[in-house]
Amino acid sequence: MPVYRSALLRFADDGTALYDQDGLLAVGPDAEGRQRVLAAGAWQSLAPQFAGEPVVHLPGRILAPGFVDLHIHFPQTDVIGSPADGLLPWLENYTFPHESRFVDPGYSAQVAEFFVAELLRNGVTTALAFATSHPASVDALFAEAQRQQMRLITGKVLQDRHSPDGVRDDTVQSLIDTEALIRRWHGVDRLGYAITPRFAPTSTPEQLRGAGELAARYPDVWIQSHVAENLDEIRWARELFPASRSYLAVYDDFGLMRERAVYAHCIHFNDDDRALMRDTGATAAVSPTSNLFLGSGFFDYAGADRVGFGYGLASDVGGGTSFSPFKTMMAAYYVGREGQTKQGLSLSPQQLWWQHTAGAARALGLEGVVGNLQPGCEADFLVLNPAATPLLARKTQQARNLEELLFALIVLGDDRVVEQTVISQAKYGSRA
Ligand code: GUN
Ligand code: ZN
């Protein structure tokens, strides 16, 4: 059983960052052979319990929880950086044509291999991901995540109207395919299924109704979609569903708001929408690099906290511009400063880091399972090098407290900081 000695970052239940300059992390297998955290805290107080165990000493490094990406599109890996005049032209001109290629299982498998490797290389150990409307794309991504023992949730995109040939699916078949994929993959190893209507404008009421029925029949399956990202999109959704109180309420009207439902963006909300998120237990995937790149707007952090619904951070690749959680946290900070309410919110680095780890895990209903290094958590963790670049080395050396250290990493960090990603599985755990 390896015992690690290093600086150690984790989070208390209330979201406070806990940091031990000289920390101990002990991991060991549970009954299924999955590595879990046995103990985490100050070396001095915990070391006697582990006397005689082999110690992996990592001076100058920081052990931190693996990041959780709450919303990412695996088939948009190669769509990153496609400029467009807002969301709808971007979908039509770049995204839909590219996603049509994933009908080919071989192509899907090749991109899935790169995608999972890129997540792990960037320190993301749990992701809620969109596939495409082709079941082959879902099989490819699950198979690759299973091979890497990664915790991954994905689903077949539902889009039976207002979508071009090549990505548009058939209403009845799409629901049959969804249920077959749930039965094939949900709960297998570390994999989970998400019922995935792309967004209300590309689904008929019949498809949304069928998705809602599946969500009721499989209550521990996730739901993911997009909402209130862009003003043209909102106008369109309101025209298509005039009977619903708001764009968000469309999803509620079809039984698609509940715990384990994660909606990307949630930018243009009023307080009724915020209360609906809170009361149903649905959560938001805040996607700041995407929102800045596509010019969609700013997530209203103050509004979300005032009304009290859950959220966490997401890359939204390929509307988003980076796989790196450091880039996403940096963009979230800009959004806090410049956001809709013009309150000049200064999100603390501890708060930003929490939103991409333990907070995102909570938004997924996986609090205490991933995104943290408290005892009992699955031992997905990162070995970070705070001196990965000359400038980082200078800056982190001068940090006088945790806030300054984490800010330096967020502002100057990227994939170079992630020296090693350790997955909660014996094969990988023993390698670190
Ligand atoms: N809304 C519907 N589809 C998409 C998508 O692929 N990306 C983003 N950012 N928004 C969407
Ligand atoms: Zn998205």
Side-chain angles (χ1 to χ4, degrees):
M1 170 183 51
V3 173
Y4 297 88
R5 182 175 188 177
S6 175
L8 174 66
L9 176 69
R10 64 207 154 94
F11 294 89
D13 289 348
D14 67 358
T16 309
L18 305 171
Y19 188 71
D20 295 289
Q21 181 60 46
D22 183 15
L24 177 149
L25 180 73
V27 304
D30 63 15
E32 295 156 46
R34 186 172 298 164
Q35 298 283 325
R36 289 187 188 268
V37 176
L38 299 176
W43 173 265
Q44 224 179 7
S45 57
L46 292 174
Q49 278 173 248
F50 298 94
E53 298 290 348
V55 174
V56 180
H57 193 196
L58 299 165
R61 302 295 187 266
I62 303 168
L63 301 182
F67 289 106
V68 177
D69 192 330
L70 264 190
H71 178 80
I72 183 165
H73 297 253
F74 124 73
Q76 294 176 15
T77 301
D78 297 307
V79 178
I80 294 179
S82 302
D85 201 10
L87 171 69
L88 300 178
W90 177 82
L91 286 173
E92 191 179 326
N93 296 327
Y94 294 102
T95 308
F96 290 158
H98 189 74
E99 289 194 8
S100 69
R101 299 182 63 178
F102 289 75
V103 68
D104 174 358
Y107 183 68
S108 292
Q110 177 221 315
V111 179
E113 185 177 345
F114 180 86
F115 175 80
V116 169
E118 191 65 6
L119 287 175
L120 294 174
R121 205 176 65 75
N122 278 280
V124 175
T125 51
T126 297
L128 173 60
F130 267 54
T132 64
S133 56
H134 316 95
S137 74
V138 181
D139 285 330
L141 184 53
F142 272 136
E144 182 59 22
Q146 186 179 38
R147 202 170 71 83
Q148 299 283 359
Q149 287 298 318
M150 185 186 176
R151 203 172 245 291
L152 184 119
I153 304 162
T154 190
K156 180 206 129 42
V157 174
L158 300 167
Q159 52 180 122
D160 66 347
R161 67 166 165 173
H162 299 137
S163 306
D165 292 351
V167 293
R168 192 179 58 257
D169 59 11
D170 171 79
T171 312
V172 171
Q173 190 60 43
S174 72
L175 299 168
I176 292 171
D177 288 343
T178 295
E179 185 158 23
L181 288 163
I182 291 171
R183 288 172 180 237
R184 189 175 310 150
W185 291 109
H186 184 69
V188 174
D189 292 345
R190 306 184 79 199
L191 310 175
Y193 195 85
I195 296 165
T196 307
R198 177 161 215 125
F199 63 159
T202 50
S203 283
T204 59
E206 293 70 35
Q207 193 177 44
L208 292 179
R209 192 167 303 115
E213 284 165 10
L214 286 170
R217 206 172 318 143
Y218 296 96
D220 67 335
V221 157
W222 281 267
I223 298 167
Q224 60 177 343
S225 192
H226 299 90
V227 75
E229 174 179 7
N230 167 288
L231 296 177
D232 293 331
E233 169 215 18
I234 294 172
R235 215 170 294 124
W236 194 21
R238 302 289 290 124
E239 276 166 28
L240 291 168
F241 296 93
S244 292
R245 185 194 56 73
S246 70
Y247 179 7
L248 180 69
V250 174
Y251 296 116
D252 192 39
D253 292 345
F254 288 101
L256 290 164
M257 292 192 70
R258 60 155 167 74
E259 285 183 6
R260 295 199 166 196
V262 180
Y263 285 89
H265 310 301
C266 302
I267 295 172
H268 307 284
F269 271 0
N270 61 25
D271 274 359
D272 288 340
D273 294 320
R274 295 187 183 100
L276 184 56
M277 293 289 288
R278 179 196 61 207
D279 296 344
T280 57
T283 56
V286 181
S287 307
T289 72
S290 170
N291 299 156
L292 297 170
F293 184 76
L294 291 173
S296 304
F298 304 96
F299 181 76
D300 185 344
Y301 277 103
D305 290 343
R306 176 166 39 75
V307 177
F309 68 86
Y311 56 80
L313 282 174
S315 66
D316 192 29
V317 159
T321 53
S322 176
F323 277 78
S324 175
F326 294 96
K327 302 289 186 197
T328 301
M329 292 188 287
M330 183 71 249
Y333 181 77
Y334 292 141
V335 165
R337 294 294 312 157
E338 275 301 310
Q340 283 172 335
T341 52
K342 303 287 179 209
Q343 286 178 353
L345 214 62
S346 286
L347 296 168
S348 73
Q350 292 95 326
Q351 170 60 214
L352 290 163
W353 210 292
W354 180 83
Q355 286 179 33
H356 224 334
T357 52
R362 179 184 290 176
L364 275 178
L366 292 176
E367 186 173 25
V369 180
V370 292
N372 207 346
L373 291 176
Q374 296 287 57
C377 287
E378 295 176 358
D380 290 336
F381 63 91
L382 312 176
V383 180
L384 302 181
N385 179 4
T389 71
L391 184 56
L392 260 169
R394 276 178 78 88
K395 186 72 188 164
T396 55
Q397 216 161 45
Q398 293 174 56
R400 289 165 305 177
N401 51 44
L402 180 61
E403 183 166 30
E404 290 183 3
L405 174 66
L406 296 183
F407 244 143
L409 288 165
I410 289 172
V411 174
L412 300 174
D414 54 30
D415 54 321
R416 290 170 292 183
V417 170
V418 182
E419 198 167 81
Q420 208 177 142
T421 302
V422 182
I423 288 286
S424 165
Q425 211 261 355
K427 184 170 60 162
Y428 289 90
S430 59
R431 207 170 56 176

